[in-house]
């Protein structure tokens, strides 16, 4: 973790609209270094927009976003990200190591063969996520959980200080989801982890703090979130909520994949 002072992410007075449609309004959020935070909210509520602002892919209409004390574009090499739809074409013949190596491209790598150091760092990233033994296996032949681990390795290959993940467990079975959160906890020991999710109950069991986005933003300790939901999101449209006391899922919600923004 870097010794430089200040929060990992500072969002101050940020508003953002698509045309005349306000997506975020006067948002203030600080994410401390070493935090394990989830951004939740209904579909269309601005979760992915907030992530894009942190990545510097969008500029706020008002306010400022700083990442590790810099403009987001300047901090990009210190941020590893797993996009919501991180597809690698199954017909494209790449191995797990090839995919992890893609994470080294941000380092201004010259044309030509990969350098030995890049291969070493990509293998180390695969080892970090527990799939080094799959380095030479075709990415298309892997299970969903294995693919997500390889894509997280791609995000780790640039040795980031912050890991951003957009709906990382959306299409995975519950047991595989739990394994992935265990991995994220381990990674959180050495980096800040921020994930976008609409599966409120699952993330509230795993993360330390929750940032609720629905045009306006509220923050809560993860343990307090379920009682607050009805107040923040009346009707909870687009949110998946599990009632742990009865162990049942709200049917149909698990197909939502973020807000598409």
């Amino acid at each position: 973790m870097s010794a430089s002072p200040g929060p990992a992410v500072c969002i101050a007075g940020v508003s953002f609209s698509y045309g005349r449609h306000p997506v975020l309004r006067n948002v203030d959020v600080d994410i401390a270094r070493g935090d394990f935070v989830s951004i939740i909210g209904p579909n269309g509520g601005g979760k992915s927009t907030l992530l894009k602002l942190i990545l510097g892919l969008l500029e706020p209409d008002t306010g400022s976003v700083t990442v590790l004390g810099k403009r987001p574009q300047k901090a990009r090499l210190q941020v590893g990200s797993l996009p919501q739809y991180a597809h690698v074409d199954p017909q494209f013949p790449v191995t797990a190591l090839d995919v992890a190596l893609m994470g080294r491209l941000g380092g201004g790598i010259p044309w030509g063969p990969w350098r030995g150091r890049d291969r070493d760092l990509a293998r180390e990233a695969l080892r970090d996520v527990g799939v080094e033994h799959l380095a030479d296996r075709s990415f298309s032949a892997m299970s969903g959980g294995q693919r997500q681990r390889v894509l997280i390795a791609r995000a780790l290959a640039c040795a980031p200080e912050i890991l951003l993940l957009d709906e990382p467990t959306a299409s995975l079975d519950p047991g595989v989801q739990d394994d992935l959160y265990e991995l994220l906890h381990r990674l959180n020991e050495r980096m800040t982890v921020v994930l976008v999710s609409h599966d409120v109950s699952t993330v509230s069991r795993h993360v330390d703090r929750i940032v609720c986005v629905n045009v306006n933003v509220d923050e809560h300790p993860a343990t307090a979130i379920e009682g607050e939901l009805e107040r923040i999101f009346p009707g909870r449209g687009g949110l998946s909520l599990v009632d742990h006391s009865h162990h049942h899922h709200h049917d149909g919600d698990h197909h939502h994949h973020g807000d598409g923004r």
Side-chain angles (χ1 to χ4, degrees), residues 22 30 40 51 64 69 88 124 172-173 181 203 226-228 238 249 259:
D30 277 5
I40 68 162
L51 214 56
S64 66
V88 174
E124 194 177 311
L172 303 177
D173 294 333
Y181 277 112
V203 295
E226 302 234 358
E228 292 287 330
H249 283 262
D259 60 14

Side-chain angles (χ1 to χ4, degrees), residues 52-99:
K52 287 174 183 171
L53 288 162
I54 294 169
L55 286 167
L57 301 173
L58 295 174
E59 289 279 347
D61 297 337
T62 63
S64 66
V65 179
T66 55
V67 178
L68 302 168
K70 311 172 195 172
R71 282 174 50 80
Q73 292 85 347
K74 296 277 188 194
R76 207 172 272 170
L77 291 180
Q78 292 159 281
V79 179
S81 72
L82 174 67
Q84 188 175 330
Y85 301 109
H87 293 313
V88 174
D89 183 349
Q91 301 305 312
F92 193 58
V94 290
T95 65
L97 183 61
D98 293 329
V99 174

Side-chain angles (χ1 to χ4, degrees), residues 7 12 15 20 36 54-55 62 109 120 143 164 168 182 218 228:
S15 296
R20 304 173 96 174
F36 192 176
I54 294 169
L55 286 167
T62 63
I109 291 157
D120 290 345
S143 69
L164 299 183
E182 201 174 298
D218 293 90
E228 292 287 330

